[in-house]
Short mmCIF file of all heavy atoms in Angstrom, two decimals:
data_model
loop_
_atom_site.label_atom_id
_atom_site.label_comp_id
_atom_site.label_asym_id
_atom_site.label_seq_id
_atom_site.Cartn_x
_atom_site.Cartn_y
_atom_site.Cartn_z
N MET A 280 6.66 -13.81 -29.64
CA MET A 280 6.26 -12.82 -30.54
C MET A 280 7.20 -11.61 -30.51
O MET A 280 7.48 -11.10 -29.41
CB MET A 280 4.83 -12.30 -30.27
CG MET A 280 4.33 -11.29 -31.33
SD MET A 280 2.64 -10.72 -30.89
CE MET A 280 1.69 -12.19 -31.29
N LYS A 281 7.74 -11.21 -31.67
CA LYS A 281 8.70 -10.13 -31.71
C LYS A 281 8.07 -8.85 -32.38
O LYS A 281 7.54 -9.01 -33.49
CB LYS A 281 9.95 -10.50 -32.48
CG LYS A 281 11.04 -9.46 -32.49
CD LYS A 281 12.23 -9.91 -33.34
CE LYS A 281 13.01 -10.99 -32.60
NZ LYS A 281 14.25 -11.30 -33.35
N THR A 282 8.10 -7.74 -31.69
CA THR A 282 7.56 -6.52 -32.27
C THR A 282 8.54 -5.41 -31.94
O THR A 282 9.52 -5.61 -31.18
CB THR A 282 6.20 -6.12 -31.71
OG1 THR A 282 6.34 -5.60 -30.38
CG2 THR A 282 5.21 -7.29 -31.73
N ALA A 283 8.31 -4.21 -32.42
CA ALA A 283 9.18 -3.09 -32.10
C ALA A 283 9.21 -2.80 -30.58
O ALA A 283 10.15 -2.35 -30.01
CB ALA A 283 8.73 -1.85 -32.85
N ILE A 284 8.10 -3.10 -29.93
CA ILE A 284 8.00 -2.88 -28.45
C ILE A 284 8.78 -3.92 -27.67
O ILE A 284 9.46 -3.58 -26.72
CB ILE A 284 6.52 -2.88 -28.00
CG1 ILE A 284 5.85 -1.57 -28.54
CG2 ILE A 284 6.37 -2.97 -26.50
CD1 ILE A 284 6.36 -0.32 -27.97
N THR A 285 8.71 -5.20 -28.08
CA THR A 285 9.44 -6.17 -27.37
C THR A 285 10.96 -5.92 -27.54
O THR A 285 11.76 -6.09 -26.61
CB THR A 285 9.14 -7.61 -27.84
OG1 THR A 285 9.47 -7.77 -29.18
CG2 THR A 285 7.69 -7.89 -27.68
N GLU A 286 11.37 -5.46 -28.75
CA GLU A 286 12.74 -5.20 -28.97
C GLU A 286 13.18 -3.92 -28.17
O GLU A 286 14.30 -3.93 -27.63
CB GLU A 286 12.98 -4.93 -30.48
CG GLU A 286 12.70 -6.17 -31.32
CD GLU A 286 13.74 -7.30 -31.10
OE1 GLU A 286 14.91 -7.17 -31.52
OE2 GLU A 286 13.36 -8.28 -30.39
N ILE A 290 11.72 -7.25 -23.72
CA ILE A 290 10.72 -8.15 -23.08
C ILE A 290 10.32 -9.25 -24.08
O ILE A 290 10.53 -9.17 -25.26
CB ILE A 290 9.51 -7.41 -22.62
CG1 ILE A 290 8.86 -6.59 -23.76
CG2 ILE A 290 9.88 -6.49 -21.46
CD1 ILE A 290 7.59 -5.82 -23.33
N GLU A 291 9.79 -10.33 -23.53
CA GLU A 291 9.36 -11.45 -24.36
C GLU A 291 8.05 -11.31 -25.10
O GLU A 291 7.91 -11.68 -26.26
CB GLU A 291 9.28 -12.75 -23.44
CG GLU A 291 9.00 -14.03 -24.20
CD GLU A 291 8.92 -15.25 -23.26
OE1 GLU A 291 9.13 -15.08 -22.05
OE2 GLU A 291 8.63 -16.36 -23.79
N PRO A 293 4.64 -8.65 -26.08
CA PRO A 293 4.32 -7.21 -26.22
C PRO A 293 3.16 -6.77 -25.40
O PRO A 293 2.18 -6.27 -25.83
CB PRO A 293 3.99 -7.10 -27.72
CG PRO A 293 3.36 -8.43 -28.07
CD PRO A 293 4.20 -9.44 -27.24
N GLN A 472 2.01 -1.98 -31.78
CA GLN A 472 3.14 -2.97 -31.67
C GLN A 472 3.02 -3.73 -30.28
O GLN A 472 3.92 -4.45 -29.91
CB GLN A 472 4.48 -2.25 -31.70
CG GLN A 472 4.73 -1.53 -33.01
CD GLN A 472 5.13 -2.51 -34.11
OE1 GLN A 472 5.69 -3.53 -33.88
NE2 GLN A 472 4.70 -2.18 -35.32
#
Side-chain angles (χ1 to χ4, degrees):
M280 182 181 289
K281 183 183 289 187
T282 74
I284 288 295
T285 63
E286 295 293 286
I290 55 179
E291 184 180 357
Q472 297 287 325

